[in-house]
Amino acid sequence: MIQSGQDTLPQAFFLPADPGYRFCLFHTPQGTKPKSRVLYLHPFAEEMHASRRVVAQQCRSLAAEGHAVLQIDLLGCGDSSGDFGDATWATWVHDTLLCLHWLHEHTDQVPTWLWGLRAGALLACDATKAWHAQHPTEQLNLLLWQPVASGQQQLQQFLRLHAAAQWLGRSAMGEPPAQQLAAGQNAHVAGYSLSPTLASELEAARLDLPSGNGRVGIIDLSVSSPPTLSPWLQRQEGKWQSAGWQVEAQTVEAHSFWQNVVESSLPKTLDWATRRALM
Amino acid sequence: MNHLPDVLRVLDDALQLQGRSTAFTANTPLLGALPELDSMAVLAVVSGLEAHFGIAFSDDQLSGASFATVGSLCELVTESLDGTAT
């Protein structure tokens, strides 16, 4: 799957999965032999849509530099089968493994990267555990863009959207989402239906990796000038190094494009740091 | 301590104001006055403040009143930092 030429459009296809199909985009690497194969894992709920343009630009930039990049819409997200309320974390881990197998079948044997944004970074960690359990000799590498500290924090931020809508004077819709979940019902937040299963799985998700010897690239975005690495990520870096991973953290001054649906473009600094991480 | 410059920096980033926040004062109204302030943006401000100041708001601390003006947001930060210090 190698092509040459400028700005090749990605190939769109539906990957058979369980249940249904997943919408995928494959960005064909330019050049004769790909430098790496990369699976991108999108962030949670509305952040996926807010970050779509920046991510598409990064995928094209990586493909132009010779990386094979696969994007998936996870179960219940984007153009894939199911509603958000059907999604579970376990299915998303399974979707990730499915895509890794697809990349192994359709691309050359080159280093494999899981690239996750925000909760996508959490998913990348859990998928790495599952992949290494099945394929102990095939190491994965991880590229983590602005990882969330924990699934618990991501869940809290998502549930706060309900409260935020009330502060804006929108009519309160039903019980608070935490109460709906506690009662075993799906919570309805900002147009998304969240199942108690996904909520509890997300809450339990940690940014932990099993021992391994692959590479981990962390890219921390900050509005501070000069940008500084968050203290918790510094601790994380040390922890993963002790577990055998080769960790390189970079900080980039860039705005929080995943939280804002105002049209965002890929910051040049972020593109540069990302291409450097995969070098 | 005056947190106004830092709060404005976070606001500018979260709402993509492209530097418009430089004209803001403590009395500048936010909720209902800034079209950029939808629920995602409110959340971006909350998360931005938490990350910038290294604090964690409890859900009880947050209400619409905190987003009334730039000054009320600064008070929210001060309260939270004081709470952390004690």
Side-chain angles (χ1 to χ4, degrees):
Chain A
M1 285 222 178
I2 301 288
Q3 285 178 8
S4 59
Q6 295 295 309
D7 283 344
T8 319
L9 281 175
Q11 300 166 31
F13 63 97
F14 284 97
L15 186 65
D18 184 23
Y21 294 85
R22 302 295 173 270
F23 180 73
C24 293
L25 283 175
F26 182 66
H27 301 261
T28 309
Q30 290 188 21
T32 47
K33 186 180 190 300
K35 291 178 179 165
S36 77
R37 46 194 174 192
V38 181
L39 172 62
Y40 170 70
L41 298 172
H42 61 72
F44 195 71
E46 201 56 22
E47 292 184 3
M48 171 195 185
H49 300 293
S51 55
R52 199 181 281 281
R53 187 160 187 266
V54 167
V55 168
Q57 289 174 339
Q58 186 67 73
C59 288
R60 288 177 190 208
S61 164
L62 288 176
E65 198 162 272
H67 301 279
V69 187
L70 181 64
Q71 286 181 267
I72 179 182
D73 288 357
L74 299 162
L75 174 67
C77 304
D79 291 316
S80 286
S81 304
D83 294 323
F84 198 78
D86 303 327
T88 64
W89 193 258
T91 319
W92 288 352
V93 171
H94 192 260
D95 286 353
T96 306
L97 298 185
L98 196 67
C99 285
L100 285 173
H101 284 293
W102 187 92
L103 273 177
H104 275 69
E105 282 164 24
H106 292 85
T107 59
D108 292 328
Q109 295 296 314
V110 287
T112 311
W113 288 80
L114 277 178
W115 161 31
L117 168 59
R118 301 267 302 144
L122 274 182
L123 184 62
C125 288
D126 276 353
T128 299
K129 285 174 215 156
W131 178 265
H132 283 187
Q134 288 177 10
H135 310 274
T137 56
E138 289 183 49
Q139 284 286 325
L140 292 176
N141 307 287
L142 293 99
L143 172 62
L144 311 177
W145 266 17
Q146 195 72 11
V148 288
S150 67
Q152 190 182 15
Q153 190 190 71
Q154 174 75 71
L155 181 66
Q156 186 196 36
Q157 289 180 1
F158 178 69
L159 297 183
R160 273 183 182 169
L161 275 173
H162 180 87
Q166 290 180 333
W167 303 336
L168 288 164
R170 312 247 164 86
S171 55
M173 288 160 293
E175 290 173 77
Q179 279 181 27
Q180 292 175 336
L181 292 171
Q185 297 161 354
N186 281 22
H188 298 278
V189 179
Y192 290 86
S193 174
L194 172 70
S195 72
T197 307
L198 178 55
S200 60
E201 287 173 319
L202 176 64
E203 196 169 21
R206 298 280 176 276
L207 203 65
D208 287 337
L209 284 174
S211 55
N213 56 18
R215 293 167 60 197
V216 180
I218 301 171
I219 299 187
D220 189 20
L221 304 181
S222 115
V223 281
S224 315
S225 184
T228 48
L229 187 65
S230 311
W232 75 269
L233 273 174
Q234 287 177 24
R235 290 194 296 275
Q236 202 75 38
E237 193 181 8
K239 217 167 99 181
W240 287 337
Q241 277 165 346
S242 312
W245 296 86
Q246 305 162 56
V247 191
E248 190 191 2
Q250 302 181 73
T251 53
V252 171
E253 189 180 346
H255 67 90
S256 318
F257 59 84
W258 59 91
Q259 286 179 322
N260 215 300
V261 282
V262 176
E263 192 170 281
S264 303
S265 290
L266 174 66
K268 280 199 175 60
T269 45
L270 177 57
D271 179 38
W272 186 83
T274 299
R275 286 188 283 122
R276 183 169 176 270
L278 300 191
M279 265 186 347
Chain B
M1 195 187 152
N2 180 17
H3 301 300
L4 186 70
D6 285 27
V7 168
L8 288 183
R9 193 182 183 95
V10 171
L11 260 183
D12 208 282
D13 169 59
L15 306 183
Q16 286 277 288
L17 297 176
Q18 323 270 357
R20 266 162 53 211
S21 68
T22 48
F24 288 9
T25 68
N27 296 324
T28 304
L30 296 175
L31 268 192
L34 277 184
E36 288 88 350
L37 210 58
D38 61 8
S39 51
M40 271 290 274
V42 166
L43 198 72
V45 173
V46 170
S47 323
L49 291 174
E50 286 184 329
H52 185 89
F53 291 98
I55 50 182
F57 300 120
S58 69
D59 286 337
D60 301 339
Q61 267 180 298
L62 299 169
S63 71
S66 310
F67 294 86
T69 62
V70 170
S72 59
L73 260 192
C74 291
E75 278 167 34
L76 176 72
V77 169
T78 306
E79 270 170 35
S80 194
L81 285 171
D82 290 351
T84 319
T86 52

